[in-house]
Amino acid sequence: TLLILANYLQKIKLYSIQERFMQSYTIEIAQNQWSLTGYIDTGNECEEILSGAPVHFIQMKSIQQEFPIRIRNGLEKWDKKKPYNLQMFDQRDHKYIRFVTVQTISNTQQIALAFRGKIIFSSQQSEDCYFVFVQDVQAFPGGAQMLLHVSMLSNLQTEGG
């Protein structure tokens, strides 16, 4: 019985920690804004190489209906085997796109498209960053719609103490 109680208390503690790493954020990409729930992933250290800006990962299904059709169509046609070919994207959207190398959990590397944007905090401060849209993904922790870069911990501490 003590073992069951200890396991139960451990699960409550982990849930409490996980809940603290989840917050709502407003993101902006290509002059469009969405409010999404993000989970700070302490294992996500991905950065855009030229600027050093953090890269966050968004489940495409979270914003798919409201996402600009021209960008959504480009993403659907983009070929991972020919990652540097951007002809499927409207010329005006090229300024938002960067290539990032992503190391997966299975320790493989792949090129992903990252879209320049910003993340807006509850105090109305914002940070320039990049977003990678993921389609084939299992649920993010706690039902989050985004996996946030580890650097967001400093904002969490600033916001929540």
Side-chain angles (χ1 to χ4, degrees):
T1 330
L2 285 177
L3 185 59
I4 293 171
L5 180 59
N7 285 339
Y8 177 73
L9 291 174
Q10 182 68 18
K11 285 181 183 180
I12 290 175
K13 182 179 176 182
L14 288 174
Y15 178 76
S16 175
I17 291 169
Q18 184 180 49
E19 191 175 68
R20 176 136 166 83
F21 282 38
M22 297 218 14
Q23 288 192 2
S24 292
Y25 296 93
T26 299
I27 65 164
E28 183 178 304
I29 303 168
Q31 301 174 350
N32 294 281
Q33 289 189 348
W34 299 271
S35 292
L36 300 174
T37 302
Y39 177 78
I40 300 172
D41 180 1
T42 57
N44 176 10
E45 297 179 355
C46 186
E47 295 178 343
E48 193 276 326
I49 195 163
L50 296 176
S51 66
V55 175
H56 309 290
F57 297 86
I58 299 176
Q59 287 182 332
M60 186 62 183
K61 67 181 180 181
S62 300
I63 62 172
Q64 191 161 7
Q65 298 305 316
E66 300 89 20
F67 208 58
I69 190 79
R70 67 182 194 275
I71 298 176
R72 189 171 67 215
N73 287 343
L75 280 169
E76 289 171 1
K77 294 175 185 173
W78 182 68
D79 186 356
K80 291 179 185 180
K81 294 177 184 170
K82 299 177 185 174
Y84 301 108
N85 178 4
L86 296 179
Q87 69 185 28
M88 67 284 307
F89 290 97
D90 190 300
Q91 188 68 34
R92 63 185 156 169
D93 294 320
H94 286 201
K95 64 184 175 188
Y96 299 112
I97 300 172
R98 296 289 183 276
F99 301 101
V100 295
T101 303
V102 176
Q103 186 162 346
T104 65
I105 294 172
S106 60
N107 215 18
T108 60
Q109 290 188 346
Q110 61 187 39
I111 301 293
L113 291 181
F115 288 79
R116 183 169 40 93
K118 61 175 67 174
I119 192 159
I120 302 167
F121 312 115
S122 60
S123 66
Q124 297 306 308
Q125 295 175 323
S126 66
E127 175 180 270
D128 292 334
C129 58
Y130 287 85
F131 298 97
V132 170
F133 297 98
V134 290
Q135 303 235 11
D136 306 323
V137 66
Q138 294 182 348
F140 288 161
Q145 298 162 304
M146 295 187 293
L147 285 182
L148 301 169
H149 188 271
V150 67
S151 65
M152 294 298 290
L153 279 174
S154 62
N155 296 310
L156 177 68
Q157 292 166 352
T158 301
E159 294 295 327

